[in-house]
Amino acid sequence: MGKHSARAPQAEREATGEIPVVPPHAARGSVRTEPWEPVGRSAVRGPAIGWGVIGRQAGPPSVDASPAPPRAEVARRSGGGRGGPSGGAHRAGGGMGRTVTGVAAAVVTAVLAVIVAGQVEDGTESRAQARTQDADPRPGADAASRSDSRPTPNGGAVRVTYNEQMARKYPLDKEGKGSGEFAAVPGHDKAPGKGEVLRFRVDVEKGLPLDGGLFATAVHRTLNDDRSWGHGGVRTFERVSSGPADFVVTLASPATTARWCAKSDLDTTVDNVSCDSAATDRVMINAYRWAQGAETYGDRMHEYRQMLINHEVGHRLGHNHESCEESGALAPVMMQQTKFLTTDGTTCKPNAWPYPGR
């Protein structure tokens, strides 16, 4: 009677955690007397989930696993023996008891191993997803996959080259009316060649949905090409935005172009064309033709725009219209190529240059 009474308080103390319970496989050796801390990132692994269960590792798992139950709770669930004050394991019913206890402990250990492994795997997957969404890309990785059409890292648009812009058509109403007011394209482009220097200004009608800077660049580059009117170093062209100018190349709507051409008794309304308004200082470039081209050139927009500039400035320099002289030959730049490529049954090929070369 006295023996059983002595064990009852001990069981109660074990249940409350005042006396640590040692699992069966830790029967030998000393017993810790302080309460067990939960197993976390920095805690020492207990025998219930020890190194032999999930394999020895170089350090703690890289994720914060849920706290493991204290040793007393693990022992209670497994039905293992209760350690006495001496620290030895309690024998519960001989060999059969040891067998049952060992099997139960093994089952609990296996279950805990699966749980911990699942927590580590889940945590690793979560971190991998977080790195994918939040981490900065590897240096150079994005550059290798970025195509030229995609936005640059600073959010700006990919630069479109001069040739690409000159090759495009742009929407514009063929009967459009503009404001009738002009603005000079700012900036200055030096005369790059030799010979006589001719200065020109570029004006664009206000409100036109076209790139005035592209137009100004095109005029300067075209006129200073060796195939143009400066061929052989006889002259060179300088673009100014203020001060004296020998002529003004003007991009204007069809209606405004017609009005300025009429000042020189020229009618551009029939074929919606351009003109050199000789009675004024303006070489008028019809914005509809600049934007949409002509059937004679099809989709060859860059070449058509070069022809348009050379043809009208050619009039300013004193050149008159010419005809196709030889079938299959390049058309003279002063032929009215916007309207046709055939004269008197002789058809020429489109040509943008006064001196195209062979």
Side-chain angles (χ1 to χ4, degrees):
M1 187 66 177
K3 182 178 180 180
H4 292 292
S5 299
R7 291 175 58 85
Q10 179 177 329
E12 294 176 359
R13 294 172 65 196
E14 291 173 352
T16 59
E18 296 178 6
I19 297 179
V21 178
V22 182
H25 57 274
R28 294 182 181 181
S30 60
V31 178
R32 297 174 62 105
T33 58
E34 70 272 16
W36 287 93
E37 295 292 334
V39 178
R41 180 184 293 272
S42 60
V44 178
R45 294 175 182 265
I49 54 172
W51 307 118
V53 176
I54 58 175
R56 181 176 298 277
Q57 301 177 4
S62 58
V63 296
D64 290 330
S66 301
R71 283 195 175 192
E73 180 64 18
V74 174
R76 187 177 302 113
R77 292 176 184 174
S78 65
R82 299 184 178 123
S86 65
H90 174 66
R91 297 177 181 270
M96 181 62 72
R98 286 194 300 272
T99 301
V100 173
T101 300
V103 172
V107 171
V108 172
T109 300
V111 171
L112 288 175
V114 172
I115 293 174
V116 172
Q119 291 173 339
V120 172
E121 183 178 357
D122 290 344
T124 302
E125 183 178 355
S126 298
R127 276 204 323 282
Q129 293 174 348
R131 283 196 299 269
T132 301
Q133 296 173 0
D134 301 331
D136 291 333
R138 292 179 292 106
D142 193 46
S145 62
R146 181 180 293 114
S147 68
D148 292 340
S149 62
R150 291 178 60 186
T152 56
N154 63 5
V158 176
R159 181 180 178 84
V160 180
T161 67
Y162 168 78
N163 288 336
E164 289 173 336
Q165 293 181 78
M166 288 289 285
R168 294 177 179 177
K169 292 185 178 182
Y170 300 95
L172 196 73
D173 185 357
K174 66 185 302 183
E175 298 180 357
K177 297 180 179 179
S179 64
E181 299 180 355
F182 305 110
V185 176
H188 173 252
D189 292 316
K190 295 181 180 180
K194 300 177 181 179
E196 179 189 13
V197 177
L198 293 180
R199 293 176 177 84
F200 67 94
R201 190 177 77 238
V202 172
D203 283 0
V204 176
E205 187 173 10
K206 294 180 179 179
L208 276 181
L210 297 173
D211 188 340
L214 174 64
F215 178 68
T217 298
V219 174
H220 185 259
R221 288 192 183 187
T222 299
L223 294 179
N224 284 294
D225 191 295
D226 189 58
R227 295 169 292 178
S228 187
W229 298 113
H231 177 73
V234 296
R235 63 177 64 89
T236 185
F237 297 87
E238 177 184 6
R239 183 178 76 86
V240 298
S241 57
S242 61
D246 295 298
F247 56 93
V248 181
V249 182
T250 306
L251 184 65
S253 63
T256 301
T257 296
R259 187 162 59 252
W260 276 85
C261 290
K263 295 177 184 288
S264 299
D265 297 325
L266 298 171
D267 184 3
T268 61
T269 61
V270 177
D271 296 297
N272 211 3
V273 293
S274 306
C275 83
D276 168 43
S277 183
T280 73
D281 60 355
R282 296 191 182 276
V283 175
M284 302 299 298
I285 304 296
N286 189 315
Y288 172 75
R289 292 299 182 183
W290 177 262
Q292 290 289 307
E295 291 184 7
T296 50
Y297 272 72
D299 291 329
R300 299 162 65 176
M301 287 302 302
H302 193 161
E303 187 177 353
Y304 175 78
R305 288 168 176 143
Q306 292 169 327
M307 183 278 296
L308 196 58
I309 293 167
N310 281 323
H311 182 95
E312 299 305 339
V313 172
H315 282 308
R316 177 63 52 161
L317 297 176
H319 297 276
N320 297 318
H321 284 148
E322 298 180 23
S323 301
C324 178
E325 299 292 338
E326 181 182 351
S327 183
L330 293 177
V333 74
M334 296 310 297
M335 184 178 178
Q336 294 177 289
Q337 296 180 60
T338 295
K339 297 180 180 181
F340 46 78
L341 290 170
T342 301
T343 55
D344 299 327
T346 304
T347 302
C348 284
K349 297 178 181 179
N351 169 50
W353 304 101
Y355 303 93
R358 294 291 184 267

